[in-house]
Amino acid sequence: MRSMLFLFREFLSSLALNRFLHFTYGVQVTISLLVLGIFLVLMLGAAVIWNRVGNNLLIHAYMSSTMTETGILQLKNELEQMDHVHDVEYRSQSDALAIWEAKNPHMDLGILESDDILPASLIIRATHPRYIQGLAEQIKSMPGVEELRYGSEMVQNFLKVMMILISIGAVTILLLLVFTASSISNIIGMSIYARRTEIRIMQLVGATWWFIRWPFLFEGVFFGTVGAIVASLIIWALLLMMSEALKLSELTLALPYFGLNTGGIFVVLALLLLSLGGLVGFFGSLRTVNTFLGRETEVNLDALRVRQLTR
Amino acid sequence: MIKFVSVGLTYPNLVNCLRNVNLHIQKQEFVFVVGPTGGGKSSLMKLIYRDAIPTSGKVFVFNKDIAKMRIREIPFHRRRIGVIFQDFLLLPHKTAFENIAYALQIRGASGRQIGQLVPEVMDWVGLTKRQKSYPHQLSGGEQQRVCIARALVNKPDILLADEPTGNLDPDTSKEIMDLLVRINSRGTTVVVATHDENVVNDYRKRTIVISQGQMIADRTEGGYLNAEEAANA
């Protein structure tokens, strides 16, 4: 514990000694994490839209007028047993009429003096939007089904495009994570070079390998987390500005996650960025520390040992 | 305490540093290792503090084969050995006191231990009044004293000095050598690698001559290279 406190103080004094250098390192990591954060926001938004649109996609199967209620309920049971079916709702002719009247209060169908003007239907929700097309094909050929309506081709295409965008976004985020890790690795590499005398002294006076590594790991985690905090704050400010701008336009209706839940998005993003920043900082610096310090000590010794064994 | 048995050392770039070196250094001995630059003196030192391992033969330090030492044992091996160099290796942003305390801090010593041991060793090497000075405010001799104090503060069994007077004028060199002799008289084994003829001739301690990686003489009565050795060097 005493050693860790000493190492932490050493790390702080090293930060203070090379203020300008560390500031530029910090800016470099912050920019990487900022770009990463912006992509995360876009991904979160895309995922929300995809889910919302996807969950609203239903299959409406309109029943033939010859089907009795018993027959329809039997069909409902059959459908509920099918793979990829989440739930099935039965809408009788009178229910359909009531809904229609509620939606169109100015149009009076009472003159027809009949409540069987609209067909009964089964409303099917799939477990995932990608199964809708397949389910529709199967239901269409079922006896008693007269007509089928489900998410239009445009919506289906929209979902496909969203899926592609989410995939591209995921790959980009992975690449940005690698880029951030290599930024931190470079920083630690330069830091090791700048402190090579100190490392040599540590080795000579009997510091353990972990004791030598810790200050650099502190540094990696420090840059990762501070970069994440600054990047999160910048993104928060951008989200606030955007949501204010969107409130003035009708886009808020189309993109509800922007206008309505900026706080939630920010909390998720900040937690994600902090965890990613800390982890990438730790493992990025650990990799570099092992590479550089290993190259000067253990690896050389191991190479020598191999030569000895092969003699 | 230190034993070399048919030791050879070849670096990965195939440079032969040591060839068939056999020697035995007893506890509390004072030994000079002399020879021309690039002759293998520093490599011999590196083997003792396990900064290298032999490519042939065996090196025993504290009765342990250094080639069989595990990586995690090396720091504890080095805590029993003090090392000083020609180029001092001091941290420029730390005072003389802090540079010496550093060796204790990395071992997890308490503030009280540091407060007691560091002034004691600084007094011993004659630096009591220079505790708060930074390396650039110290003369070469004083900087080397700080290094010696840093090596001594852990109370090592062996002190290795690689060209300790290389950057110092003759008077200061003598002061440093006197200090090393005093350290030896307290029971520490001292090995000094040097090519300073005057130093070796003045002190008349056991002298091992190394040239082109080979041990060509081991004189208990001391003395620098003779004419034949100098011609072969």
Side-chain angles (χ1 to χ4, degrees):
Chain A
M1 188 62 196
R2 195 184 290 142
S3 296
M4 288 305 265
L5 279 173
F6 166 70
L7 286 173
F8 192 68
R9 279 202 304 271
E10 285 294 300
F11 155 69
L12 290 180
S13 68
S14 151
L15 278 188
L17 264 176
N18 303 301
R19 277 183 292 266
F20 181 71
L21 199 63
H22 283 115
F23 175 73
T24 53
Y25 291 164
V27 170
Q28 189 184 339
V29 176
T30 304
I31 290 171
S32 306
L33 287 169
L34 182 62
V35 178
L36 178 71
I38 289 170
F39 264 87
L40 280 175
V41 170
L42 293 176
M43 285 283 290
L44 283 172
V48 169
I49 291 175
W50 201 83
N51 266 336
R52 287 194 180 183
V53 175
N55 288 336
N56 286 328
L57 284 181
L58 303 168
I59 302 171
H60 289 259
Y62 295 101
M63 298 294 113
S64 150
S65 56
T66 57
M67 282 284 277
T68 60
E69 185 164 309
T70 318
I72 296 172
L73 288 173
Q74 200 177 338
L75 183 60
K76 178 175 179 278
N77 282 338
E78 276 178 43
L79 288 171
E80 280 169 344
Q81 303 305 317
M82 284 172 70
D83 288 341
H84 312 310
V85 171
H86 186 269
D87 59 78
V88 183
E89 184 193 331
Y90 167 55
R91 189 174 288 173
S92 66
Q93 288 182 305
S94 52
D95 288 344
L97 184 63
I99 290 169
W100 194 90
E101 281 176 341
K103 281 185 181 171
N104 304 281
H106 306 298
M107 295 181 75
D108 185 11
L109 292 182
I111 48 167
L112 295 172
E113 291 181 350
S114 169
D115 63 354
D116 61 357
I117 187 169
L118 294 175
S121 59
L122 290 173
I123 300 160
I124 302 117
R125 189 189 301 273
T127 50
H128 196 278
R130 66 174 174 269
Y131 300 125
I132 285 178
Q133 185 80 39
L135 278 174
E137 298 291 334
Q138 289 181 57
I139 297 166
K140 197 191 281 179
S141 56
M142 288 178 135
V145 177
E146 192 166 272
E147 192 185 342
L148 213 63
R149 282 189 194 163
Y150 57 97
S152 70
E153 199 179 332
M154 197 188 81
V155 175
Q156 290 287 331
N157 286 339
F158 170 73
L159 285 179
K160 274 184 196 161
V161 171
M162 288 298 285
M163 194 64 196
I164 292 168
L165 285 179
I166 287 174
S167 307
I168 292 172
V171 173
T172 312
I173 282 174
L174 271 178
L175 289 175
L176 284 169
L177 273 175
V178 173
F179 178 74
T180 310
S182 65
S183 294
I184 290 177
S185 289
N186 283 340
I187 289 168
I188 301 300
M190 284 188 274
S191 194
I192 288 173
Y193 184 75
R195 292 168 68 183
R196 60 195 182 283
T197 308
E198 202 172 333
I199 292 169
R200 190 73 188 128
I201 292 168
M202 281 183 173
Q203 289 175 334
L204 289 175
V205 295
T208 58
W209 302 120
W210 272 108
F211 191 94
I212 297 170
R213 283 167 172 80
W214 271 118
F216 300 107
L217 298 179
F218 278 143
E219 204 166 322
V221 173
F222 172 81
F223 282 116
T225 48
V226 170
I229 291 169
V230 176
S232 301
L233 290 174
I234 293 172
I235 291 171
W236 185 39
L238 288 173
L239 277 174
L240 280 180
M241 282 161 59
M242 269 178 80
S243 68
E244 286 301 314
L246 284 168
K247 270 178 193 165
L248 302 174
S249 75
E250 292 193 352
L251 271 174
T252 317
L253 298 172
L255 302 171
Y257 80 98
F258 265 146
L260 300 178
N261 201 9
T262 318
I265 291 270
F266 172 70
V267 171
V268 174
L269 172 85
L271 288 175
L272 260 175
L273 269 187
L274 263 178
S275 333
L276 287 176
L279 284 173
V280 163
F282 182 82
F283 287 107
S285 51
L286 182 65
R287 204 198 70 180
T288 314
V289 164
N290 282 340
T291 309
F292 280 84
L293 293 182
R295 192 177 291 160
E296 282 182 12
T297 52
E298 290 109 307
V299 172
N300 264 351
L301 293 171
D302 285 343
L304 285 170
R305 185 177 288 134
V306 169
R307 289 171 63 82
Q308 186 189 30
L309 289 173
T310 52
R311 275 177 177 238
Chain B
M1 180 156 266
I2 300 167
K3 197 174 175 184
F4 281 54
V5 182
S6 305
V7 171
L9 176 62
T10 307
Y11 283 120
N13 58 5
L14 301 178
V15 172
N16 275 318
C17 284
L18 292 174
R19 279 180 291 176
N20 196 32
V21 174
N22 288 287
L23 69 90
H24 193 181
I25 297 172
Q26 303 284 352
K27 197 174 177 186
Q28 298 180 6
E29 252 194 295
F30 189 114
V31 179
F32 282 119
V33 180
V34 300
T37 305
K41 303 188 296 290
S42 296
S43 298
L44 189 138
M45 299 290 218
K46 280 183 174 184
L47 287 169
I48 298 172
Y49 63 86
R50 219 287 197 181
D51 205 26
I53 54 172
T55 39
S56 61
K58 286 188 183 301
V59 176
F60 296 94
V61 183
F62 308 125
N63 294 321
K64 272 189 181 173
D65 182 346
I66 64 136
K68 289 183 179 163
M69 204 175 274
R70 293 179 178 184
I71 296 286
R72 65 170 179 271
E73 291 176 317
I74 299 171
F76 302 97
H77 172 73
R78 289 184 184 160
R79 286 178 193 183
R80 298 182 66 185
I81 300 172
V83 190
I84 57 173
F85 293 96
Q86 177 179 353
D87 52 1
F88 312 135
L89 276 181
L90 292 172
L91 295 169
H93 57 276
K94 288 188 185 289
T95 63
F97 184 99
E98 288 165 345
N99 264 289
I100 298 163
Y102 196 68
L104 289 169
Q105 281 163 327
I106 68 153
R107 293 180 63 174
S110 68
R112 210 177 66 173
Q113 285 172 308
I114 291 167
Q116 186 197 331
L117 289 170
V118 176
E120 205 176 285
V121 76
M122 289 194 85
D123 181 46
W124 206 80
V125 298
L127 282 174
T128 307
K129 291 177 181 170
R130 305 296 260 155
Q131 290 192 8
K132 290 179 181 170
S133 302
Y134 287 90
H136 69 270
Q137 296 168 323
L138 299 171
S139 67
E142 286 172 328
Q143 288 188 51
Q144 194 58 288
R145 282 167 190 270
V146 175
C147 292
I148 293 171
R150 185 179 63 197
L152 286 183
V153 78
N154 278 330
K155 299 187 168 46
D157 297 312
I158 300 172
L159 181 67
L160 303 175
D162 193 357
E163 302 282 5
T165 58
N167 279 339
L168 306 174
D169 61 70
D171 289 342
T172 315
S173 295
K174 190 171 182 319
E175 284 173 20
I176 294 298
M177 285 311 303
D178 285 344
L179 188 56
L180 293 177
V181 170
R182 268 174 65 206
I183 291 165
N184 175 243
S185 67
R186 292 203 319 177
T188 307
T189 308
V190 177
V191 181
V192 180
T194 184
H195 59 258
D196 188 333
E197 191 173 343
N198 294 331
V199 163
V200 179
N201 289 334
D202 285 353
Y203 286 87
R204 291 283 157 185
K205 299 281 186 184
R206 180 184 170 191
T207 304
I208 291 162
V209 183
I210 288 194
S211 179
Q212 293 176 359
Q214 283 185 303
M215 198 173 96
I216 56 173
D218 183 356
R219 282 192 286 272
T220 46
E221 75 284 6
Y224 202 66
L225 308 187
N226 59 33
E228 189 189 346
E229 289 161 358
N232 288 333

